[in-house]
């Protein structure tokens, strides 16, 4: 008897029954093992006869196919959901596990913020800009980024108008205008 050999998909010849070795032709139609798709059989009798020899490799490959199918179904996270320093995904909810910096509008995970502080860096862990001293200077940094049409900065400014933070009065219509502009520029967060 032949051992379990993967099906040669590139060459049309070379396809043979994994049990008896019979070559596939117009008269002999070979069928894939339905679980692993690695080997072919000329009939059910050969598949049953070869089962004991093939079972271990079949289960392993079937599990790999199942994993591929499961992992390919997930949704990919947007680029902004990853820390720009360590490139790891920021755990959800992101606001609880990261901080956004007014200087560069980059969202950095708490782990990188902590590592930067342990190394003595008191400014932004991404761009090294010193932290703003008060709300007015923080607002000036955000507005500087807004003037450069940074979508995340525009979204952030919309949030500040909506909640009345950074010394701004609560202005919902202005917040909606800013969120709309940020969404048009490509901010995923402005859509939520």
């Amino acid at each position: 008897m032949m051992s379990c050999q993967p099906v040669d998909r590139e060459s049309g010849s070379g396809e043979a029954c994994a049990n008896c070795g019979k070559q596939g032709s117009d008269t002999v139609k070979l069928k894939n093992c339905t679980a692993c798709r690695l080997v072919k059989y000329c009939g059910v009798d050969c598949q049953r006869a070869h089962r004991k020899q093939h079972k271990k490799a079949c289960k392993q490959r079937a599990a790999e196919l199942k994993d591929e199918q499961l992992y390919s179904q997930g949704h990919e996270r947007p680029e902004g959901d990853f820390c720009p320093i360590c490139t790891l995904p920021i755990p959800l909810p992101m606001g609880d596990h990261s901080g956004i910096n007014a200087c560069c509008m980059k969202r950095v995970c708490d782990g990188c913020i902590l590592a930067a502080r342990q190394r003595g860096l008191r400014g932004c862990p991404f761009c090294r800009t010193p932290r703003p001293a008060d709300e007015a200077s923080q607002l000036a940094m955000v507005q500087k980024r807004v003037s450069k049409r940074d979508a995340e900065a525009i979204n952030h400014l919309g949030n500040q108008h909506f909640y009345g933070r950074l010394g701004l009065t609560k202005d919902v219509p202005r917040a909606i205008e800013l969120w709309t502009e940020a969404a048009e520029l490509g901010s995923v967060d402005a859509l939520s």
Side-chain angles (χ1 to χ4, degrees):
M1 284 191 193
M2 295 180 64
S3 62
C4 277
Q5 295 295 321
V7 175
D8 184 6
R9 296 190 195 288
E10 268 88 59
S11 65
S13 62
E15 289 187 354
C17 176
N19 186 50
C20 67
K22 196 179 291 183
Q23 293 289 323
S25 66
D26 292 337
T27 57
V28 179
K29 295 287 182 190
L30 298 177
K31 295 181 179 155
N32 284 328
C33 171
T34 55
C36 70
R37 297 187 176 92
L38 280 177
V39 295
K40 292 192 174 201
Y41 297 102
C42 60
V44 176
D45 293 334
C46 277
Q47 186 174 8
R48 283 189 188 130
H50 192 248
R51 178 71 183 148
K52 188 175 183 181
Q53 188 179 352
H54 174 62
K55 188 175 183 178
K56 186 176 179 182
C58 183
K59 281 188 174 187
Q60 182 181 355
R61 179 61 184 153
E64 289 170 4
L65 290 171
K66 179 87 170 158
D67 286 347
E68 286 175 21
Q69 180 185 10
L70 289 173
Y71 287 123
S72 67
Q73 289 177 353
H75 299 287
E76 290 189 24
R77 293 180 70 180
E79 186 177 322
D81 286 4
F82 293 85
C83 176
I85 298 172
C86 66
T87 68
L88 294 174
I90 299 171
L92 298 172
M94 289 190 348
D96 293 348
H97 302 283
S98 63
I100 192 160
N101 300 295
C103 48
C104 58
M105 298 311 298
K106 298 289 184 188
R107 183 174 290 280
V108 178
C109 72
D110 286 344
C112 290
I113 293 170
L114 178 63
R117 286 188 185 147
Q118 288 176 339
R119 290 187 185 111
L121 180 65
R122 297 291 172 229
C124 172
F126 184 75
C127 69
R128 310 288 195 248
T129 303
R131 295 223 180 266
D134 56 2
E135 285 185 343
S137 55
Q138 186 176 354
L139 180 61
M141 284 181 162
V142 172
Q143 287 175 330
K144 183 178 177 184
R145 300 291 311 166
V146 168
S147 67
K148 295 179 181 179
R149 301 195 39 84
D150 181 340
E152 296 308 318
I154 295 169
N155 178 54
H156 186 71
L157 186 59
N159 290 337
Q160 304 315 308
H161 275 286
F162 183 78
Y163 294 109
R165 296 182 187 147
L166 295 183
L168 298 168
T169 58
K170 187 171 181 171
D171 187 357
V172 176
R174 177 69 179 136
I176 292 171
E177 287 175 22
L178 289 166
W179 288 332
T180 303
E181 183 181 352
E184 289 170 355
L185 290 172
S187 172
V188 175
D189 293 329
L191 297 171
S192 58

